Amino acid sequence: MFMKYQIACAALALMSSAPAFAQEEPVGPVTVTGSVGLVSDYRFRGVSQSDRGMAIQGGLTATHESGVYVGTWGSNLSGWGTFGGANMELDLFAGYAIPLGDSGATLDLGLTWYMYPSGADKTDFAEPYVKLSSQVGPVKGLLGVAYAPKQEALGKWCSDADCTIYKPGDKEDNFYIWGDVSGAIPNTPVSLKAHLGWSNGNSGLGPNGTSVAPTGKYLDWLVGADLAVPGTPLTLSIAYVDTDIARVEENYLRPNFQVADGDNFGKSIARSTVVFSISAAF
């Protein structure tokens, strides 16, 4: 979740620290921020969306001084036939970040619409979320809850990879709770980060072999580090990503739960991996 929502968080953080223009023009009520990056593997809640391959990602966020924000984020995917969905994911999100008095904490209420252009429309779904974040010294913490109400995209259309039990049009919901913590190492450009999430959704396959929580209930986690390159907008990142999805659960969903082709053909898309990335913020 770090990568996907860092744009919105950056927008809120930059509202009070945006540099002045050369003519000392007043800063307007709306701040626009964004980023673009390259990752060695796009992992969403611990599961690869790019067949364990590289992905180009980027997004924009417009934040009003009131705390209201809207934005978009996109990434390439692995394509149909695997858990990734279409060839592209395009997220639209909007929300309202509310400072909680002088506590330094922020309550963020919003909604993400997950779109898969060029794919079946039944794979698009909406997911409201609530996030509570705070900072103590150099340490930042965030607790988030996302609940997607019953929708066809989250339904259990197939209970196994061969679709021996087929229920088109089934609607299910999905619950996700997560926590993030990060902190800068004093007097260095390095920050450490960690993430833990828990999914509760359907235990089969949705439309066209997709599912947000493909095995029903599982944990995902991440530990890593970011290096801000001095004098540039670049950040270099490394992260270890894993889940507690058992091999017997993976086998239940094959071939939709394995890399479709290439050097990694047949490998699981939920086994542990190390993800490298480079990104630029603007």
Side-chain angles (χ1 to χ4, degrees):
M1 302 297 292
F2 278 96
M3 294 180 183
K4 185 165 293 188
Y5 295 107
Q6 66 183 355
I7 301 169
C9 295
L12 296 174
L14 289 172
M15 284 175 60
S16 60
S17 60
F21 292 103
Q23 301 298 320
E24 296 297 326
E25 297 178 6
V27 177
V30 177
T31 302
V32 178
T33 59
S35 73
V36 61
L38 177 68
V39 299
S40 61
D41 186 1
Y42 170 26
R43 293 281 173 134
F44 177 62
R45 299 176 184 175
V47 178
S48 178
Q49 309 290 284
S50 55
D51 262 4
R52 299 173 65 106
M54 299 176 69
I56 298 176
Q57 304 173 335
L60 289 171
T61 300
T63 305
H64 189 265
E65 60 187 4
S66 65
V68 174
Y69 62 88
V70 295
T72 183
W73 183 93
S75 175
N76 63 280
L77 300 176
S78 60
W80 289 122
T82 61
F83 177 68
N87 292 317
M88 177 185 180
E89 175 187 335
L90 181 64
D91 302 345
L92 304 178
F93 57 87
Y96 180 41
I98 311 166
L100 300 180
D102 298 326
S103 64
T106 299
L107 181 65
D108 186 351
L109 309 173
L111 180 143
T112 301
W113 179 260
Y114 295 89
M115 300 174 59
Y116 300 93
S118 76
D121 57 3
K122 293 181 175 61
T123 56
D124 297 353
F125 68 97
E127 184 180 65
Y129 59 83
V130 178
K131 297 185 288 184
L132 178 65
S133 60
S134 186
Q135 181 169 351
V136 178
V139 179
K140 301 177 182 178
L142 181 148
L143 179 64
V145 176
Y147 176 73
K150 290 186 176 183
Q151 299 162 75
E152 281 191 74
L154 307 175
K156 187 175 179 180
W157 286 32
C158 299
S159 61
D160 60 3
D162 296 327
C163 279
T164 56
I165 301 176
Y166 186 56
K167 301 183 298 179
D170 180 49
K171 297 181 180 180
E172 303 288 346
D173 58 2
N174 194 88
F175 177 79
Y176 186 67
I177 183 171
W178 77 98
D180 296 337
V181 62
S182 63
I185 299 177
N187 303 315
T188 75
V190 177
S191 297
L192 303 179
K193 60 187 179 182
H195 160 87
L196 178 64
W198 182 72
S199 296
N200 186 355
N202 83 63
S203 58
L205 294 174
N208 295 283
T210 63
S211 181
V212 178
T215 60
K217 300 177 182 179
Y218 75 97
L219 291 168
D220 72 275
W221 57 87
L222 172 156
V223 291
D226 297 331
L227 170 64
V229 181
T232 76
L234 298 177
T235 298
L236 304 177
S237 302
I238 184 174
Y240 173 84
V241 183
D242 201 0
T243 74
D244 70 343
I245 295 175
R247 293 191 182 277
V248 65
E249 294 175 308
E250 295 177 9
N251 293 335
Y252 176 71
L253 297 174
R254 290 181 185 271
N256 293 283
F257 212 66
Q258 67 185 38
V259 177
D261 52 29
D263 295 338
N264 292 315
F265 174 74
K267 291 185 178 180
S268 165
I269 58 174
R271 294 293 95 200
S272 62
T273 190
V274 176
V275 176
F276 300 92
S277 68
I278 179 171
S279 61
F282 55 89

